[in-house]
Amino acid sequence: MAASGLVATGTAAAAPAKKYPVSWDFRSAIPSALQQTVDPNWAPPGANDPSCRLTKERPNPVVLLNATATTQWAYNAGAPYLANNGYCVYTFNYGNITPIPTFPIQGLADIERSGREISRQIDRILRRTGAKKVDLVGWSQGGGLLPHYYIDFLGGDKKVDKLIGIAPGNHGSTGDMLTYVRYFIPPFGPVGYEIFKALFPAFAQQAQYSDLVRKVYGNGDTKPGPHYTTIVTKYDEIATPFTNGFLEGDNVTNILLQEDCPVDLSEHLSINFSERTWRHVKNALTPAEATPVPCFQVDPFYPGMSEGR
């Protein structure tokens, strides 16, 4: 069952001195993707700030893991929003299948290899900050199969306090039924799928019933230690069926955005650039400060889409 994820309110931490602009529109991230391509030190506003200091109220670094076929630019809204609320936010790229380190389309490599990449990055962040654990917030692959593999098989259960998945690719996806195309017109469907799998391993590994999905979720959805939160939309057209995003376990909070807000029309793209989503993320990161998430219209793809603007 989906839950609201709302608990009692508490005293908020002091607001940071510096405020970053937040744009709840994925189109604002497009220039950032281009900027990242030419600047190897680029990070979204509010992320990777060497002056940020952990506090008693926010003792864990918040590590943002991007979706398949994206990089750090995916958090052009989430990173500044969290930084403005006093969190130390960290981003990095992973899963690059090109020789260009700043290529803006990554997260495509073998997920087990990417798991080892993020393991090294998380260890680096823990050493830099002196923290004992991190909180992971991830979109799609970054909130689903990848962090679950890290937690289950690379010792992440000892280093992760909370995992918050935004439209997470848990239990594999049918890709709006596209994964079944591989069974069409033998032998061309299967051959084409094997070529696609060799070129873009992460896509195939996230397909429902893949070997990696069976390996990661076959013995249960969670491990003792971390608390898991899923934030899911019933209009997801990529991580399908959307119910696969939910987890089972005593240490789980499942949130369906439409349960208390039918005018939230987020789909797989806009969910990561929605203010409602990130209010839920903040509540999950700091439950003692949680406040009700108001209901307001969220359009698919970008603001104004429903009105044809």
Side-chain angles (χ1 to χ4, degrees):
M1 293 294 293
S4 67
L6 302 180
V7 295
T9 61
T11 302
K18 185 174 183 180
K19 286 286 187 177
Y20 300 94
V22 181
S23 174
W24 302 114
D25 187 340
F26 87 92
R27 292 172 296 181
S28 66
I30 296 173
S32 299
L34 300 176
Q35 185 179 355
Q36 177 201 280
T37 305
V38 298
D39 181 3
N41 296 313
W42 185 90
N48 303 339
D49 180 357
S51 68
C52 190
R53 296 292 179 266
L54 300 174
T55 65
K56 179 181 177 181
E57 294 81 7
R58 285 144 175 63
N60 299 331
V62 179
V63 179
L64 306 182
L65 300 176
N66 48 273
T68 308
T70 69
T71 56
Q72 298 173 81
W73 58 260
Y75 292 108
N76 218 48
Y81 175 77
L82 293 181
N84 288 346
N85 282 280
Y87 299 92
C88 291
V89 180
Y90 295 88
T91 61
F92 50 79
N93 299 329
Y94 70 86
N96 191 0
I97 60 173
T98 79
I100 306 170
T102 57
F103 196 66
I105 302 174
Q106 298 188 29
L108 296 170
D110 172 78
I111 289 175
E112 293 181 85
R113 191 194 91 181
S114 293
R116 294 189 290 273
E117 281 188 69
I118 71 164
S119 179
R120 291 191 293 271
Q121 292 280 10
I122 289 170
D123 285 348
R124 176 183 60 82
I125 292 168
L126 289 173
R127 287 193 301 269
R128 175 186 295 178
T129 62
K132 295 181 179 179
K133 292 188 176 184
V134 298
D135 292 331
L136 300 181
V137 180
W139 175 30
S140 196
Q141 177 189 162
L145 194 55
L146 175 63
H148 279 265
Y149 177 79
Y150 166 67
I151 288 171
D152 290 1
F153 296 98
L154 298 177
D157 56 319
K158 303 297 191 296
K159 300 174 183 178
V160 175
D161 188 24
K162 306 176 194 73
L163 169 60
I164 302 165
I166 299 170
N170 294 321
H171 305 115
S173 170
T174 68
D176 208 12
M177 308 303 283
L178 286 176
T179 58
Y180 294 109
V181 171
R182 61 187 169 185
Y183 301 114
F184 293 172
I185 321 176
F188 302 106
V191 169
Y193 181 79
E194 288 303 315
I195 294 172
F196 181 77
K197 180 179 176 181
L199 293 174
F200 309 109
F203 276 120
Q205 288 172 316
Q206 292 177 90
Q208 195 170 31
Y209 311 124
S210 76
D211 290 342
L212 188 58
V213 166
R214 294 178 191 273
K215 176 178 178 178
V216 171
Y217 299 97
N219 293 316
D221 289 350
T222 66
K223 292 270 283 188
H227 186 276
Y228 299 75
T229 299
T230 71
I231 302 172
V232 172
T233 173
K234 70 179 184 181
Y235 299 113
D236 202 312
E237 75 279 34
I238 303 296
T240 56
F242 74 88
T243 50
N244 274 12
F246 297 134
L247 299 171
E248 293 185 4
D250 294 336
N251 50 343
V252 170
T253 301
N254 290 314
I255 299 170
L256 179 64
L257 290 173
Q258 290 77 30
E259 183 179 36
D260 60 352
C261 190
V263 295
D264 187 331
L265 305 180
S266 302
E267 37 67 57
H268 197 75
L269 178 63
S270 63
I271 189 174
N272 193 50
F273 296 86
S274 163
E275 183 179 353
R276 295 196 76 245
T277 295
W278 287 96
R279 284 176 177 250
H280 279 297
V281 169
K282 181 181 179 296
N283 283 348
L285 287 172
T286 317
E289 299 175 12
T291 58
V293 176
C295 177
F296 49 82
Q297 182 167 320
V298 180
D299 290 318
F301 305 110
Y302 60 85
M305 171 63 102
S306 295
E307 288 77 28
R309 291 186 282 109

